């Protein structure tokens, strides 16, 4: 398990989505050459913000490394906002961390 996945697992279930959103937003800020202080609109399309498909592929690869999970390229294009992507990650890719039954960290 990657350090980011471990950190998510160690948090209370109610805090996990906020942390995941922060991780995802940070990667998009890097790709968009934004500073940490700049606010990334979570409901705006990656492409409207100026991200290219090549840059989106780079973000996908970095998120896969950080989370230790594969992310579908189709999902990245079909969920073109941070908010939608985080929803997908929480419900499909990292479901065991966000499922009510997974609220208690497993040994």
């Amino acid at each position: 398990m990657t350090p980011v996945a471990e950190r998510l697992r160690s948090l209370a279930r109610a805090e996990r989505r906020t942390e995941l959103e922060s991780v995802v937003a940070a990667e998009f800020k890097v790709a968009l050459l934004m500073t940490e202080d700049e606010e990334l609109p979570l409901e705006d399309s990656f492409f409207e913000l100026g991200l290219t498909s090549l840059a989106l592929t780079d973000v996908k690869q970095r998120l896969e490394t950080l989370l230790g999970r594969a992310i579908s390229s189709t999902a990245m294009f079909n969920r073109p906002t941070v908010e939608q992507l985080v929803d997908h990650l929480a419900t499909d890719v990292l479901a065991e961390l966000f499922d009510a039954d997974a609220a208690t960290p497993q040994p």
Side-chain angles (χ1 to χ4, degrees):
M1 189 170 283
T2 68
V4 170
E6 285 288 342
R7 186 169 68 239
L8 287 170
R9 183 177 296 277
S10 73
L11 292 172
R13 185 170 158 256
E15 298 171 349
R16 291 177 185 172
R17 182 182 166 80
T18 302
E19 179 64 19
L20 179 59
E21 189 175 275
S22 295
V23 168
V24 172
E27 290 305 314
F28 278 97
K29 282 183 175 185
V30 168
L32 292 165
L33 306 175
M34 297 173 72
T35 66
E36 288 183 29
D37 296 336
E38 290 180 89
E39 186 173 333
L40 177 68
L42 303 181
E43 297 177 3
D44 289 357
S45 165
F46 309 139
F47 303 110
E48 289 174 7
L49 296 171
L51 203 67
T52 65
S53 57
L54 180 60
L56 184 60
T57 301
D58 290 341
V59 170
K60 173 189 169 297
Q61 290 172 344
R62 288 197 310 271
L63 287 172
E64 287 176 332
T65 299
L66 288 170
L67 300 173
R69 303 291 171 84
I71 302 170
S72 162
S73 294
T74 303
M76 296 289 291
F77 284 93
N78 288 342
R79 292 164 181 86
T81 69
V82 170
E83 184 174 69
Q84 291 174 356
L85 180 58
V86 169
D87 285 343
H88 169 70
L89 294 174
T91 58
D92 296 326
V93 178
L94 299 167
E96 78 282 358
L97 293 177
F98 290 87
D99 183 15
D101 295 332
T104 305
Q106 302 294 319

